[in-house]
Structures are given as C-alpha cells and as structure tokens.
Amino acid sequence: MKTSYAFIILLLVTANTFAQMSNDNTMSVMINGTEYKTQPRQIKIGNYGYFTGNSNKPDKMVRIWLGDFYGRSAVESGTYLIVNADHPDTKENIKKAQDLGKYKGIAAIRYVEEIKEPRMEYHMGESQNNDETLEVKNNGDGFIDITFSSKLAGTYWKEKTSATVFGGLGRLKDKMESKVITQATGFDSNIDPEGNGYKKQDKKDEIILTEGKMHLKNN
C-alpha cells in the first residue's frame, strides 16, 4: 500500500511539473517515409531545455535539444547547427558554429523506439556532425515553430541478461511505472537505453527524418 501511494504521489508531482502548457501543441515528421504525429512538450531542467514528442504502444520519442554558445537552453529565432547528439556541446562543436557566424546556437536530435515490450529492446537514432541545420521561429505570440530534417545514426539496444535476472520483478515494476509517467505527463521517463541496463548490438542503420515540424507553447 505504501509503495503504491508513493508512486501515485510521484506521478502527480511529475505531471504537475512537466505537464504540457497548451493543448495546441503539434508535431509531425516523416521517419523513414512514415508520418509520425504527436503532441510535443517543452521540458526544462535547470539551464537545459529540450522539446520532446512522445507516443505509447510502442513507446516512441523524438527529442530536440537547443543550446546557445554558453550551455544554456535557447529558443531565439534563427538557424541552429545540428551536431552529434551523444556529445553535443563540445568545444569543437560550439567553436565551429560560432566561427561560421550564421548560427544562433547548436541543436541535437535523438530518436528512440521500443521494439520489444516491455522496454526489452530499442531502436535508437542520433544526429551527427553532418552540417545539417534546424530552423526556429519565435512568433512573439508565446508560440515557437521548429522545422528540421536529419539523417540519424541508427543503433539497436537489448536489455542485458544480468539486468533482467538480477533486476527481477523490481526492474519490471520500475519500467511499467516509467511507462505510466511517460504516457500521463509527456515526459520521456527512462526511455533512453544508454547507461540504463542495455547493451548496444552490432547492427547499425540510418534513420531519416524529413519534413519535421513542431509548433508549441514556449514555457
């Protein structure tokens, strides 16, 4: 009873913190030629912020991080240089964007899709340093528009046997609770496989995002 009560309190707190600010938020993007539509959220944690569009059954996420040249969240109108999502705000990436003199900052894109339930296997894609760009338009009416396209480096991840065996019912419970939080709040709770008890597989591919559009309330 105590555990269930604590989880409900956690869910309510999380929902209150990360709940979407407007019902008018929209997002659409072609992922390898198939349209993906959902309602995005803007999430802020300290100085960092990102935009995430999630769906369930299976869990799926497109996340965009925007930053200025000082490691802060950025939403100014202009062009952003898309960089490696695994190591976005390196000195090299920032210097390149600054030296070119035409960018407001840097951007990173990550895509994650659950391919075996419950969160046993994932397909993940990350933006690279391919000289791609992303456009932001701050409309001055409280909403921002983001347009993007990117070729992501695709990898496959499988839950480690040790994590499954030693985690037991506790790990399964944690995964199901994270799924509930993701669905209820739009916050992508524990979706990323990296460093979370999963092993990267040898298989690789390319995930192509085209015609990406986000329209959402600027928190």
Side-chain angles (χ1 to χ4, degrees), residues 125-144:
E126 296 181 304
S127 59
Q128 303 297 301
N129 294 322
N130 293 330
D131 295 323
E132 300 166 334
T133 59
L134 173 151
E135 296 292 330
V136 175
K137 182 180 179 182
N138 198 323
N139 299 308
D141 59 356
F143 283 83
I144 60 174

Side-chain angles (χ1 to χ4, degrees), residues 151-170:
K151 292 182 179 180
L152 311 182
T155 54
Y156 290 81
W157 297 72
K158 183 179 292 187
E159 189 173 46
K160 295 178 181 178
T161 303
S162 57
T164 305
V165 173
F166 295 112
L169 291 178

Side-chain angles (χ1 to χ4, degrees), residues 41-153:
R41 274 81 164 168
Q42 182 183 9
I43 308 298
K44 288 186 177 180
I45 303 175
N47 290 332
Y48 289 88
Y50 60 88
F51 306 88
T52 180
N54 305 314
S55 63
N56 304 94
K57 297 180 180 180
D59 288 343
K60 187 181 291 188
M61 171 197 80
V62 173
R63 180 195 300 163
I64 295 174
W65 175 81
L66 297 178
D68 63 14
F69 299 127
Y70 306 98
R72 301 172 302 194
S73 176
V75 291
E76 288 187 59
S77 293
T79 304
Y80 291 74
L81 180 66
I82 297 176
V83 297
N84 187 305
D86 202 29
H87 303 286
D89 52 349
T90 62
K91 292 181 180 180
E92 292 77 13
N93 287 341
I94 292 172
K95 185 177 186 303
K96 179 180 179 180
Q98 281 183 311
D99 288 348
L100 290 172
K102 57 183 179 181
Y103 299 116
K104 288 292 185 180
I106 57 177
I109 302 174
R110 178 169 288 185
Y111 169 77
V112 178
E113 180 179 4
E114 174 189 49
I115 56 176
K116 183 177 180 181
E117 293 188 289
R119 295 190 175 180
M120 296 290 291
E121 296 182 23
Y122 287 103
H123 188 197
M124 184 169 78
E126 296 181 304
S127 59
Q128 303 297 301
N129 294 322
N130 293 330
D131 295 323
E132 300 166 334
T133 59
L134 173 151
E135 296 292 330
V136 175
K137 182 180 179 182
N138 198 323
N139 299 308
D141 59 356
F143 283 83
I144 60 174
D145 288 295
I146 300 173
T147 56
F148 60 96
S149 293
S150 183
K151 292 182 179 180
L152 311 182

